[in-house]
Amino acid sequence: SLEREGLRSMVAASKLHEAGYGNLGWLAGGFSRAKDGDFPVEGTEKLQYATVGGVSYYFLKLLVLLQAVDKESSRS
C-alpha cells in the first residue's frame, strides 16, 4: 500500500519543498524501515512506531515488553 511504502510522504515533502520549506527529509520505504539514528527524534519512542496508533499502539508496546522479558530470561 502507499502508506507502507512512504509514497504519500514523498509527495508531501515535494509539495512542502515547492512551497519554500527546507530541511526536509523523506525515508524511502516509510517509517517501518527507519533505523535508530536515521533522524533526530524527541521523546523515547522509536521512529519506526510513529504511524502506529490506537489499540495497535498498546499491542505493540506489549510485544516490545515481552521481547525485553524474553531477552532478559534467555540471559539467565
Side-chain angles (χ1 to χ4, degrees):
S1 84
L2 292 179
E3 177 180 314
R4 299 196 190 277
E5 299 296 323
L7 298 177
R8 289 186 302 176
S9 61
M10 179 179 64
V11 171
S14 175
K15 296 276 186 197
L16 288 168
H17 179 72
E18 290 171 5
Y21 288 87
N23 197 23
L24 299 169
W26 175 69
L27 184 60
F31 283 118
S32 61
R33 288 235 174 124
K35 293 182 179 63
D36 292 341
D38 279 347
F39 295 96
V41 296
E42 294 183 19
T44 59
E45 295 300 323
K46 291 182 176 283
L47 186 60
Q48 299 94 313
Y49 307 147
T51 61
V52 179
V55 173
S56 298
Y57 174 78
Y58 293 104
F59 183 67
L60 177 64
K61 294 292 264 184
L62 178 60
L63 287 177
V64 169
L65 175 66
L66 291 173
Q67 286 177 345
V69 169
D70 186 47
K71 284 180 185 177
E72 189 63 33
S73 65
S74 65
R75 289 182 189 164
S76 317

